[in-house]
Amino acid sequence: MKEIQLNVNGKDYSLNIDENMRLIDLLRDKLGLLGTKEGCGEGECGACTVIMDGETVTSCLVMAFQAHGSEILTIEGLESNGKIHPIQQAFIDVGAVQCGFCTPGMIMSAKALLDKNPNPTREEIREGISGNLCRCTGYNKIVDGVELAINYIEEGK
Amino acid sequence: MKFDIVGKNIIRTDAYSKVTGKALYPQDIYMDNMVYGKTLRSKLPHAYIDIDTSEAEKIEGVIKIFTYKDVPNNSHGVVFKDHEVFCEKKVRRIGDPIAFVVGETEEVCKLALDKIKVDYKELEGVFDPEIAMDENSPKVHGDSNIVYHFKIRKGDIEEGFKNSYVIAENTYKTHMVEHAFLQPEAGVSLIDEEGRVTVMVATQYPHYDREEVASALNIKEEEVRIVNTNIGGAFGGREDISLQIHLALAAYTLKRPVKVVYSREESFIAHAKRHPMIMKCKTGADKDGKLLAMEAEIIGDTGAYASWAPNVLRKAGVHITGPYYIPNVVVDSYAVYTNNPFAGAMRGFGATQVPIAHEQQMDILAEKLGMDPISIRMINIFKQGSVTATGQVLTESVPVEACIKEVVKRMDLFGEEGHNEETW
């Protein structure tokens, strides 16, 4: 067992974990944050994407102890004052959601992109979500969703 | 008439729960007193087996290891009951389920899987569907590997080819395809407050699952509940039983909630694939490009189990003539068992493979005749009132002609000069 401290969605935690525990297991099994999904377990599909100290990581490839001292943002941390994030609202409004299993990871990648580049081109959006697979093949609507989110954020919606 | 929904943009009811990560898929369900299950699968494609679970049962935390002996009715299958819940004497493909370990943790189950002894007596396998059709080849089930044969006989095929000015004769092959839906199979089973075996699973067929679970457990359908959770993609890959019966059997026997989550690798191994097809086509047309005859043989490799093979190979046979009127047609479409991964439903259900053949045939005929590929299609295309090779009269909307015209326009296929549409 190993004790680690980390901040998840603005909240500090001190946890005893097994050394072989992955970050995704810590989030799901220890903290009950079930919005982070496991699609492949080898960093290929992006469904488990979370933001760690400002950068996207596939949480199935990060060991839990590696998150010691870091700040993690998951899909559950995007709401503020009871209001969902503009990216989430835009995904709803354009119909960027199908089966939904890629959606949390896709939104986290979009969030990391817009945090760094508030006004990306369509090409840059495609690159920004290129680590996230959607098997329902809804990529166009997802790119539309991120584009709409840019407007929502500008309008302060 | 005023509509509330039709013609309007409606926000789907599950969108909010999905963008917030609140939507529950089976792997997101946790229950008090819950135990875990893992499946032991065949490592060989064709073998007699003998199983010894005694060492594995001694591992601390292992609650029970289920095998064929524990299943009241050890068979299932959507069209033919050719699957065993757990293989008894013989495995027919890599990945066939042999046993199901239930333990206090997933780790314990993994340890137990390694300790189950399976004595394999390997049998000669058959992996090529054409060879499998030979009556002297090894049999996957019963006396013949031919599961299904669909025929079309229309007009006079010999006369059709005799009158043809050009004939294209070719063989086309398509490969196996994996659905790779993003959410691997998972499920939780428990006995609900009314005593019913309840399986929470992402499925395309809750009503079929209920029948299959009730039948395997030899209980009434009223005693079984299938709860469909959110489904993380399916594309046909969730039309067969995967873990439903294993879970139901375990919860029914142990009276505790049981959870299973497949890894991506196990998901690949566990469920059906798209049927690989071999399509031998002979198509004849007259000097003007009018189709006169088509003869086609389709061989679909359904692997170790039939799943939806009869329906898929029927559909392939119906669609092999393409969206074209052909007066003289012979089609023979076969589904064949092999020791390959089993094939079943996948988007298109047999209609997806055949255009690879019929559209290349059209291009080849056009080239032989010195025609452009659009014109040969337009003079043969189905219209309202056309009769298909199976004798169906197309009475409703048939917009394929309008579609091709629009494609020609948008792709600017004939440039400035345009095309004399009267020849169509």
Side-chain angles (χ1 to χ4, degrees), chain A residues 28-29 37 39 98-99 135, chain B residues 18 25 28 30 179-180 264:
Chain A
R28 290 176 57 89
D29 298 340
K37 305 300 182 192
Q98 292 188 62
C99 90
R135 284 292 294 163
Chain B
K18 285 176 173 174
Y25 300 84
D28 304 327
Y30 292 74
H179 314 73
R264 174 59 57 190

Side-chain angles (χ1 to χ4, degrees), chain B residues 59-342:
Chain B
I59 294 172
E60 199 187 331
V62 169
I63 299 163
K64 186 167 169 66
I65 299 174
F66 293 87
T67 65
Y68 71 91
K69 291 176 196 156
D70 302 294
V71 193
N73 176 14
N74 192 26
S75 70
H76 68 87
V78 283
V79 179
F80 302 125
K81 303 284 173 206
D82 58 356
H83 281 268
E84 288 174 285
V85 178
F86 300 115
C87 295
E88 181 181 346
K89 296 192 178 92
K90 187 168 110 157
V91 292
R92 297 175 175 85
R93 61 163 178 136
I94 291 173
D96 255 350
I98 297 172
F100 186 67
V101 177
V102 178
E104 296 291 345
T105 65
E106 280 190 287
E107 287 65 33
V108 160
C109 296
K110 280 182 202 163
L111 288 175
L113 287 187
D114 290 339
K115 291 285 179 195
I116 299 174
K117 287 186 198 128
V118 182
D119 182 21
Y120 292 96
K121 286 197 181 59
E122 191 161 10
L123 295 163
E124 189 191 345
V126 58
F127 304 96
D128 178 325
E130 286 188 282
I131 293 172
M133 290 173 81
D134 187 308
E135 57 180 52
N136 296 317
S137 64
K139 302 295 177 291
V140 183
H141 302 262
D143 306 328
S144 170
N145 290 323
I146 300 172
V147 189
Y148 176 75
H149 178 193
F150 169 78
K151 294 182 198 176
I152 299 176
R153 301 289 182 269
K154 184 196 180 192
D156 183 339
I157 193 78
E158 282 175 26
E159 192 66 17
F161 283 123
K162 210 170 79 191
N163 296 333
S164 293
Y165 180 71
V166 284
I167 291 174
E169 192 169 1
N170 298 289
T171 299
Y172 303 88
K173 292 182 180 180
T174 61
H175 57 85
M176 190 175 280
V177 181
E178 156 63 23
H179 314 73
F181 38 72
L182 205 55
Q183 175 239 326
E185 290 92 336
V188 175
S189 185
L190 64 138
I191 307 298
D192 77 1
E193 62 279 4
E194 290 178 40
R196 296 172 296 191
V197 192
T198 303
V199 185
M200 294 183 276
V201 64
T203 173
Q204 287 182 265
Y205 268 138
H207 48 296
Y208 264 80
D209 291 358
R210 187 175 182 228
E211 275 180 38
E212 299 263 36
V213 166
S215 158
L217 270 56
N218 201 16
I219 56 177
K220 290 189 196 128
E221 276 184 49
E222 292 76 18
E223 294 174 77
V224 178
R225 241 180 116 208
I226 306 292
V227 178
N228 220 346
T229 62
N230 283 282
I231 304 162
F235 322 128
R238 297 190 210 265
E239 291 201 14
D240 305 279
I241 288 290
S242 55
L243 40 64
Q244 292 89 326
I245 299 173
H246 301 170
L247 275 173
L249 178 68
Y252 185 71
T253 309
L254 303 171
K255 314 293 178 208
R256 284 180 74 175
V258 186
K259 180 172 182 172
V260 175
V261 182
Y262 285 0
S263 65
R264 174 59 57 190
E265 188 181 358
E266 186 171 11
S267 172
F268 274 171
I269 292 167
H271 66 249
K273 305 284 174 267
R274 186 190 288 290
H275 283 86
M277 290 186 191
I278 299 167
M279 299 171 281
K280 297 173 188 172
C281 299
K282 183 178 172 188
T283 317
D286 70 10
K287 271 187 176 174
D288 302 323
K290 207 152 188 53
L291 296 173
L292 295 181
M294 183 180 200
E295 193 174 3
E297 184 186 61
I298 308 171
I299 300 166
D301 179 359
T302 198
Y305 298 101
S307 178
W308 291 103
N311 311 56
V312 171
L313 272 298
R314 183 192 311 127
K315 191 154 183 175
V318 167
H319 286 266
I320 189 75
T321 48
Y324 308 111
Y325 174 73
I326 311 177
N328 305 295
V329 178
V330 165
V331 175
D332 288 281
S333 183
Y334 301 91
V336 181
Y337 283 134
T338 64
N339 295 108
N340 288 324
F342 78 103

Side-chain angles (χ1 to χ4, degrees), chain A residues 10-100:
Chain A
K11 212 170 148 190
D12 289 323
Y13 293 92
S14 184
L15 300 165
N16 279 312
I17 55 148
D18 286 330
E19 283 85 347
N20 64 0
M21 180 177 251
R22 305 171 302 169
L23 178 57
I24 187 171
D25 304 322
L26 181 152
L27 295 170
R28 290 176 57 89
D29 298 340
K30 283 256 174 195
L31 304 182
L33 298 170
L34 301 171
T36 302
K37 305 300 182 192
E38 180 166 356
C40 71
E42 54 183 52
E44 202 56 55
C45 77
C48 67
T49 302
V50 299
I51 299 176
M52 182 166 155
D53 297 327
E55 301 285 343
T56 53
V57 293
T58 43
S59 60
C60 72
L61 290 189
V62 177
M63 298 308 289
F65 66 78
Q66 290 177 291
H68 175 63
S70 62
E71 272 183 31
I72 308 285
L73 185 68
T74 73
I75 191 76
E76 290 89 351
L78 289 192
E79 283 181 50
S80 65
N81 303 323
K83 213 173 152 221
I84 59 173
H85 191 277
I87 301 173
Q88 294 171 306
Q89 189 60 52
F91 268 51
I92 293 176
D93 292 346
V94 303
V97 180
Q98 292 188 62
C99 90

